[in-house]
C-alpha cells in the first residue's frame, strides 16, 4: 500500500492535537493507536513506515512529564501477573500434595485388593460342599 503524500503532515498535526489535548478523531489517548486514528492513517504507518514519527510522539509525551498509556499500564499489568503467578504456584503446590495423597491411597487399595483376592482364592478346609437335597428331574 502506497502512503498518501500528506501522511507525514497529518501525523505531525495529529501529534500536536493529541499533545494539546484537543483531539478531533480519536480518544486522545497517548497511544500509537489513538495517534493513527487522529491522523487518519493505518496503525502500521507508524509502526513500519514512519518509525521516526512514532518515536517523536513518545519523546514529546515524555518531555511533557507524562508517560505513554502503554507504559503507564505496565506496573498494573506486572502486579496482576505476579498475583496470577502466586496463585498458580499455590495451586500447583496443592495439586502436588493431592497427587501424593492419591498415590498413597491407590497403593493402599491395591495392597488391600491383592490381599482380598488371595484370601478369596485360597482353599478353605472348613468349608464343605453339601449335596443337593433335591433330586434333579431331567426330562420333566
Amino acid at each position: 500500500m502506497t502512503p498518501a503524500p500528506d501522511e507525514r503532515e497529518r501525523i505531525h498535526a495529529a501529534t500536536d492535537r493529541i499533545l494539546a489535548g484537543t483531539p478531533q478523531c480519536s480518544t486522545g489517548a497517548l497511544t500509537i493507536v489513538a495517534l493513527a486514528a487522529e491522523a487518519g492513517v493505518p496503525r502500521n504507518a507508524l509502526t513500519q513506515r514512519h518509525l521516526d514519527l512514532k518515536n517523536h510522539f513518545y519523546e514529546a509525551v515524555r518531555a511533557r512529564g507524562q508517560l505513554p498509556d502503554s507504559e503507564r499500564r505496565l506496573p498494573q499489568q506486572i502486579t496482576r501477573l505476579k498475583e496470577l503467578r502466586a496463585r498458580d504456584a499455590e495451586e500447583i503446590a496443592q495439586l502436588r500434595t493431592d497427587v501424593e495423597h492419591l498415590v498413597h491411597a491407590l497403593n493402599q487399595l491395591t495392597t488391600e485388593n491383592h490381599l482380598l483376592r488371595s484370601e478369596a482364592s485360597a482353599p478353605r478346609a472348613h468349608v464343605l460342599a453339601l449335596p443337593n437335597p433335591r433330586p434333579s428331574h431331567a426330562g420333566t
Side-chain angles (χ1 to χ4, degrees):
M1 180 169 146
T2 305
D6 66 339
E7 195 170 73
R8 290 183 68 82
E9 291 81 21
R10 288 190 289 155
I11 294 170
H12 278 296
T15 298
D16 294 341
R17 287 193 304 273
I18 288 177
L19 293 176
T22 57
Q24 297 173 353
C25 306
S26 71
T27 62
L30 301 176
T31 65
I32 294 301
V33 172
L35 179 59
E38 187 68 27
V41 299
R43 182 176 166 271
N44 71 348
L46 291 161
T47 60
Q48 295 174 11
R49 288 193 297 264
H50 305 297
L51 288 173
D52 60 324
L53 296 179
K54 177 189 83 158
N55 293 336
H56 168 74
F57 174 72
Y58 281 144
E59 289 168 10
V61 169
R62 286 187 192 90
R64 294 173 180 247
Q66 296 176 305
L67 287 174
D69 289 350
S70 58
E71 290 180 23
R72 200 176 5 201
R73 289 188 304 260
L74 283 176
Q76 296 167 345
Q77 289 175 327
I78 290 170
T79 301
R80 186 178 62 81
L81 291 172
K82 284 181 179 179
E83 290 170 356
L84 287 173
R85 188 167 185 252
R87 275 191 260 144
D88 287 347
E90 289 174 11
E91 185 178 357
I92 288 169
Q94 181 62 51
L95 290 171
R96 286 183 175 150
T97 300
D98 291 348
V99 166
E100 288 176 19
H101 289 128
L102 290 170
V103 167
H104 177 72
L106 179 64
N107 286 335
Q108 184 176 354
L109 291 172
T110 300
T111 301
E112 289 177 12
N113 190 21
H114 180 69
L115 288 173
L116 289 172
R117 287 180 185 266
S118 295
E119 287 177 10
S121 64
R124 296 197 171 134
H126 60 279
V127 177
L128 298 173
L130 298 175
N132 191 352
R134 293 183 166 173
S136 67
H137 300 307
T140 41

